[in-house]
Amino acid sequence: MLAILAASQTGLALLTVLVEKAPLALLVLRPQPEIMVLLTGRLPPMVIVLVAVPLRLLIHIAYYELGRWGGERLVSRTRAGAWALRALSRRWLGAALLVSCLVHQSTPVDMALGARGTARHRVIAALVFGVSLSSVLIVWLGTQLTPFSAEILEFLREHPLATAAVVSVLALVTFVLSALQLVKAARAARKEVVDEGRQ
């Protein structure tokens, strides 16, 4: 998880450099919807889809596996994860969350589905369909917004240092906060297990 977070925030920190000199590398580091839309004018749409789909799948499946590994103790330590677990406590809401993966993918939902032991093949099937469909729609939206993304790219060209400073600070803060939350949740879950073992 830390490696995924680090890659994503590295892509954000190097946004101003990579968007011009290595847009494909930027997509690999950060296959997020906003980057996919931004790069639609820089890379062929089919390339974006073919690169982003497996990477986005990998990220969501990794969060699902983290939920399976850490269980409810770990997932419940995050606000969004606790909400998703409560939703999964009701049978029909659990099914609704699984179906939601078809139209919108969310890492807290992935973790909650893993923590509650939802069948791996069902989650992966929903994610394959959902990630593929949403990626195509995101890239299509990017083609419609090309004039606006061109203006953003022009702004980045005109203000490279200021933009690099802002996104670097944002990337660092986001990585540190996310990493601290993940490590804190893991330690708390481990402490609970140890305390239960002593009793």
Side-chain angles (χ1 to χ4, degrees), residues 22-197:
L24 190 57
L26 175 60
L27 180 63
V28 169
L29 287 170
R30 193 175 174 87
Q32 304 295 332
E34 67 276 7
I35 298 299
M36 294 168 66
V37 169
L38 184 64
L39 294 179
T40 303
R42 303 280 302 157
L43 293 170
M46 187 57 68
V47 170
I48 296 175
V49 171
L50 291 176
V51 171
V53 167
L55 290 174
R56 294 180 71 208
L57 268 174
L58 176 65
I59 292 168
H60 287 291
I61 291 171
Y63 275 100
Y64 166 79
E65 293 296 339
L66 177 64
R68 285 179 66 93
W69 170 78
E72 294 184 19
R73 282 189 174 92
L74 176 63
V75 176
S76 64
R77 297 290 175 174
T78 64
R79 185 179 302 173
W83 173 86
L85 283 174
R86 284 195 299 273
L88 281 170
S89 66
R90 298 182 178 89
R91 191 176 191 87
W92 70 271
L93 280 176
L97 282 181
L98 183 60
V99 171
S100 76
C101 293
L102 300 174
V103 291
H104 174 71
Q105 298 77 48
S106 164
T107 52
V109 170
D110 300 333
M111 289 175 66
L113 289 169
R116 282 292 165 89
T118 307
R120 183 181 283 114
H121 68 278
R122 291 181 180 175
V123 174
I124 291 177
L127 285 173
V128 167
F129 180 85
V131 167
S132 301
L133 179 61
S134 65
S135 296
V136 170
L137 291 175
I138 289 166
V139 172
W140 174 82
L141 179 63
T143 61
Q144 306 306 305
L145 297 176
T146 299
F148 299 102
S149 60
E151 291 180 12
I152 295 172
L153 291 172
E154 185 60 31
F155 178 86
L156 295 178
R157 288 189 202 99
E158 293 176 357
H159 307 89
L161 293 178
T163 306
V166 170
V167 296
S168 295
V169 169
L170 179 62
L172 180 61
V173 170
T174 302
F175 174 74
V176 170
L177 292 177
S178 299
L180 285 175
Q181 183 183 31
L182 189 60
V183 171
K184 184 178 178 181
R187 284 179 177 170
R190 182 179 178 184
K191 185 177 182 298
E192 282 185 19
V193 172
V194 171
D195 289 345
E196 286 180 4

